[in-house]
Amino acid sequence: MSKKIITPVASLAHILPEDYRDLVEKGPHGKSVGIKDLGSFKEITEEHPHCAGCGVSLGVRLALAALPAPEDTLVVGTPGCSFFALSQTAVNYSNTAFGNQNSVASGLKRMLSIRYPDKDKDVVVMAGDGGIADIGLDMTLHSWFRGEKISTIMLDNEVYGNTGGQESGMSPEGQVLHMAPKGKNFKKIPVFEMARTAGCVYGARVTIASPKRLGRAVNRAILLARELGPTYVQIYTPCPTNMKFSPADTIRIAKEAGSTHYAFEEFMTEEAALRIAVMEGEQGKIQD
Amino acid sequence: MCSEKKKNRDTIAELLHGLRNKAFITGSEAVAEAVKRANVDMAIAYPITPQSESMHLVGELFAKGHIKDYYRAENEFAVMAAVHGAALGGGRVFTATSGPGTLRAMEMFPVWAGARQPIVCAFMCRGVSLPPSIQPENIEMGMLLDTGMLMLHAENGQDFFDMILQAYLVAEQPDVHLPVGVFADGFFVTHTREEMLLPPEDCCLPPYDPGFAPVPVFDMETPPMRITRDPLLNKSNFISGNANASWHQEVLAAAERARKHIAHFMGGLLEVENPGAKIFIAASGTAVSQSREALRMMQAEGMDVGLIKIKSIRPFPGSELSKALEAADLVVVPEFNAGGWLAREIRATIDRNHRVIGAPRVFGGMTMPPWLIVEEVKKALGAGQSRGGC
């Protein structure tokens, strides 16, 4: 949307909430800002009710800061911890039923392509591991098989956080959790590997301990989805409340995971690699 | 193809009441004929057993350019979620399902209503498992009564055609903006060829304009930009509880406001034949056609019997029924399902509800010969006479 649409007329500006006016005056809409600029612009996410030290809230914040065009980005999710931050954002957010996010996003993206044929409307799925890898796995995979031009971002806290700490398909093997009283007896679902097989043109596995990498991955995923097809970013967002570590240790835990089971990995098709080279070359020139 | 010229002028009256041509087609073909004239932006399909051929035919409409996008999705829940997403994006959508497909997609129907989506879905009612059935019956309607969706029940192919177009007109009114399910009894309507009257192909509904929606379009073009399109789903507290409750009240109120539009576009929520009778058969769907035959048989015997055809199940024509049945002594309600949801609805609506006989009921693919209805009427009259004699 154009900045003009959201700008209030001067005589009515004073009745709008301060955070709205801030967003109009100092928000990221229409600007080229990213994670490195956090703190210098009005963020598009407001205060959230997440637990202290929540990895998901940081993951949402970083991903939102990396959106290439927040003024034309629609986010689709599913009920769960991610909802609490995503419902506080200045981009349109919808969460409807359980696990259906990639189907809703498919219909939405196609309709927006019909209604705005000359404009890029970025449809981004942002949901947790339960929504993407368990209850919605069929719809996740089918949106990839169909080649839908949407980006899927998993906020992987390896547990059902909002419902009180139950085992998810993404929980590590052996982890004792609710509904896994003797420890989880199978491995993490290899969604990242499945993304490549199922037709994603780009995928990245990152943790919240590497904000720069995370931002680059989200940015690439969304820009590539516009032109080439489905993309996937899997972000490790550890949960102190249910995994029973101190809220002060979230980044340390994420960092350790980054050198063990959550090592950074990226894949892309040849076409995507060429496109990235062009895009980032252009960006480099602009920055120079 | 909808002509551009006609798109730009008010063709609604022409579409509903203008010149029509005869066609000898099935109910499934009638669905496609309606969709062809409904200016649908996008349709999504899934072939769960049992599916009618209607969504194949809608696919052909896409191939011919009548619809802008169409695909086969992975299951019924995914279809209903995807049409929801497409409707969020501000366009007109269509899909169809039946029986087990309806049940598999169940979670989405209250979501459609709660999100105030004017989605139109055709239901080709069939049996549900277990035991597996692909036969005609409409038990699924009883399961959808409280989803917030408006529900219209077609008697025949002509109704099915008309009601799909009327459904869009009612659904998209700014003071309604709710999903509408258009129901027809599978096989009897969907697979039967009958003579219908259709308006010319280029006579279409005007395009959907999301600017008239009472909720913001989900396209990042509507200020203010901070839009969570769904009602609060938060921890229980006073504010979120009240927000959710008042939202639900508004969905119910919107359904009430649909009454006047149903009256305007469909001529009423019900139709009464022989209003002065003391004995009535009240029915919806194909049970109405069977009741017409039963009526003829009884009238030939000199009995004074009336018929009430209920077209709108949600909203339910409660006051209309009470009025029509004020002087009636007996109301027989034949149904194509084992649960008897229509008889329950009528019993819950009218006074002196001992007058309501919930029979005959056929299901699992059984037919409903008219004599079965006549027998129930006579049985009830006999029982009444013997009671009266005591």
Side-chain angles (χ1 to χ4, degrees):
Chain A
M1 75 168 76
S2 102
K3 188 79 176 281
K4 209 174 156 190
I5 293 180
I6 58 169
T7 307
V9 293
S11 56
L12 293 179
H14 69 284
I15 64 165
L16 287 166
E18 197 180 336
D19 64 310
Y20 185 88
R21 275 181 283 140
D22 272 357
L23 211 48
V24 175
E25 287 157 23
K26 303 166 196 160
H29 302 82
K31 290 180 195 159
S32 179
V33 289
I35 284 174
K36 63 179 185 344
D37 309 302
L38 273 173
S40 70
F41 63 94
K42 166 71 181 173
E43 284 180 53
I44 53 177
T45 180
E46 273 295 315
E47 295 146 353
H48 60 75
H50 277 123
C51 309
C54 174
V56 168
S57 65
L58 181 56
V60 168
R61 183 183 175 208
L62 295 173
L64 290 174
L67 298 178
E71 65 275 21
D72 283 307
T73 301
L74 297 303
V75 179
V76 180
T78 194
C81 281
S82 54
F83 168 86
F84 296 110
L86 286 164
S87 59
Q88 316 280 343
T89 56
V91 295
N92 289 178
Y93 173 65
S94 174
N95 99 56
T96 60
F98 292 87
N100 66 357
Q101 57 282 342
N102 284 61
S103 290
V104 173
S106 301
L108 176 64
K109 176 69 189 184
R110 285 166 180 252
M111 185 58 81
L112 293 175
S113 304
I114 292 172
R115 292 191 56 228
Y116 301 98
D118 304 321
K119 208 166 179 178
D120 289 318
K121 292 278 180 186
D122 297 325
V123 174
V124 180
V125 167
M126 233 185 275
D129 44 314
I132 289 175
D134 287 348
I135 193 169
L137 182 61
D138 53 347
M139 285 166 276
T140 307
L141 291 174
H142 275 272
S143 72
W144 294 343
F145 295 142
R146 282 196 304 269
E148 303 286 352
K149 290 181 169 174
I150 55 178
S151 314
T152 304
I153 298 176
M154 181 197 284
L155 302 154
D156 181 13
N157 57 7
E158 303 189 323
V159 67
Y160 282 80
N162 190 35
T163 44
Q166 295 86 0
E167 171 194 290
S168 108
M170 298 300 282
S171 301
E173 192 171 12
Q175 181 88 41
V176 174
L177 292 158
H178 291 313
M179 300 189 180
K182 294 183 175 180
K184 189 185 182 219
N185 61 10
F186 65 100
K187 290 181 180 152
K188 265 176 93 77
I189 297 176
V191 182
F192 185 69
E193 289 75 11
M194 290 157 88
R196 189 199 314 247
T197 313
C200 284
V201 300
Y202 172 84
R205 191 174 53 199
V206 291
T207 83
I208 47 166
S210 312
K212 209 173 155 186
R213 260 185 192 156
L214 188 158
R216 195 180 58 194
V218 168
N219 200 277
R220 284 178 169 182
I222 294 173
L223 292 174
L224 290 168
R226 279 183 193 171
E227 293 172 35
L228 301 180
T231 55
Y232 177 61
V233 181
Q234 184 175 312
I235 308 175
Y236 182 51
T237 58
C239 171
T241 304
N242 288 299
M243 293 304 201
K244 315 290 181 204
F245 58 80
S246 161
D249 288 339
T250 303
I251 299 296
R252 181 180 62 76
I253 299 270
K255 203 171 253 175
E256 281 170 14
S259 54
T260 54
H261 79 292
Y262 240 98
F264 174 73
E265 204 177 324
E266 208 176 27
F267 70 79
M268 61 194 81
T269 61
E270 254 177 57
E271 203 183 7
L274 287 170
R275 197 69 202 98
I276 286 174
V278 173
M279 283 180 328
E280 292 177 4
E282 279 169 7
Q283 274 177 8
K285 270 184 221 155
I286 292 164
Q287 277 164 10
D288 293 343
Chain B
M1 204 88 53
C2 300
S3 80
E4 285 301 322
K5 203 172 130 201
K6 289 198 174 181
K7 262 185 195 173
N8 295 328
R9 65 170 211 256
D10 182 9
T11 56
I12 293 169
E14 201 179 329
L15 189 64
L16 299 184
H17 310 296
L19 276 176
R20 292 192 167 198
N21 305 311
K22 280 182 188 169
F24 188 58
I25 55 174
T26 65
S28 296
E29 287 164 348
V31 170
E33 293 297 331
V35 172
K36 193 191 284 178
R37 292 161 178 82
N39 230 326
V40 167
D41 291 304
M42 190 171 167
I44 305 169
Y46 182 72
I48 197 166
T49 298
Q51 175 60 285
S52 71
E53 60 182 351
S54 65
M55 289 309 288
H56 311 172
L57 301 171
V58 170
E60 286 170 24
L61 293 181
F62 165 65
K64 289 176 186 160
H66 291 274
I67 298 176
K68 300 183 188 85
D69 203 353
Y70 168 94
Y71 70 96
R72 179 211 49 89
E74 58 272 40
N75 62 54
E76 293 282 0
F77 175 60
V79 168
M80 302 309 165
V83 293
H84 176 81
L88 274 177
R92 188 179 283 157
V93 298
F94 179 79
T95 189
T97 186
S98 63
T102 302
L103 266 56
R104 187 173 176 91
M106 197 73 177
E107 191 183 351
M108 283 311 296
F109 302 128
V111 170
W112 289 357
R116 305 294 299 275
Q117 306 278 46
I119 296 165
V120 172
C121 178
F123 294 83
M124 330 292 204
C125 302
R126 304 279 198 101
V128 298
S129 298
L130 201 74
S133 169
I134 59 161
Q135 300 298 334
E137 62 167 83
N138 54 39
I139 192 68
E140 64 197 274
M141 292 183 70
M143 299 171 180
L144 293 169
L145 290 173
D146 297 309
T147 53
M149 178 164 49
L150 305 185
M151 298 169 69
L152 307 175
H153 200 176
E155 178 187 347
N156 49 34
Q158 183 71 60
D159 263 6
F160 211 13
F161 172 85
D162 289 331
M163 281 178 173
I164 288 171
L165 293 170
Q166 291 157 345
Y168 281 111
L169 290 166
V170 174
E172 293 169 5
Q173 296 297 320
D175 63 342
V176 179
H177 226 263
L178 285 177
V180 183
V182 183
F183 297 78
D185 300 334
F187 282 118
F188 298 138
V189 173
T190 53
H191 292 57
T192 309
R193 206 167 280 280
E194 57 181 282
E195 192 176 274
M196 297 180 211
L197 293 171
L198 307 180
E201 276 192 15
D202 64 347
C203 187
C204 299
L205 286 179
Y208 172 65
D209 184 347
F212 287 100
V215 284
V217 188
F218 194 77
D219 60 1
M220 281 303 279
E221 292 293 336
T222 315
M225 55 199 143
R226 197 179 294 275
I227 292 167
T228 295
R229 247 303 288 270
D230 312 298
L232 297 172
L233 169 96
N234 276 332
K235 304 292 181 192
S236 53
N237 63 46
F238 185 73
I239 298 294
S240 66
N242 269 332
N244 200 286
S246 57
W247 188 277
H248 276 287
Q249 283 172 349
E250 173 53 14
V251 170
L252 295 170
E256 286 300 306
R257 295 193 293 263
R259 289 179 188 275
K260 59 181 180 292
H261 302 296
I262 296 174
H264 176 69
F265 293 116
M266 297 174 57
L269 285 75
L270 51 72
E271 286 168 14
V272 184
E273 195 174 315
N274 192 16
K278 296 279 184 197
I279 304 162
F280 271 98
I281 306 172
S284 66
T286 45
V288 176
S289 297
Q290 301 309 94
S291 301
R292 283 186 207 285
E293 285 305 306
L295 207 69
R296 254 190 281 279
M297 289 163 73
M298 287 187 280
Q299 284 171 344
E301 287 182 36
M303 294 170 73
D304 188 18
V305 189
L307 171 68
I308 298 179
K309 168 179 172 171
I310 301 175
K311 297 189 285 189
S312 172
I313 306 298
R314 283 290 181 271
F316 194 67
S319 57
E320 292 92 333
L321 271 172
S322 293
K323 201 172 154 220
L325 295 171
E326 209 162 20
D329 295 325
L330 176 67
V331 190
V332 171
V333 186
E335 290 187 62
F336 276 101
N337 68 81
W341 54 264
L342 183 60
R344 267 204 306 268
E345 289 286 306
I346 297 174
R347 275 202 198 100
T349 298
I350 65 169
D351 63 2
R352 292 172 287 140
N353 64 7
H354 62 276
R355 296 180 291 163
V356 180
I357 303 291
R361 278 181 204 160
V362 300
F363 38 91
M366 288 158 65
T367 55
M368 187 191 286
W371 58 261
L372 205 60
I373 303 171
V374 174
E375 215 167 63
E376 289 295 341
V377 172
K378 288 184 175 173
K379 201 163 75 185
L381 287 173
Q385 271 162 13
S386 67
R387 269 205 308 270
C390 287

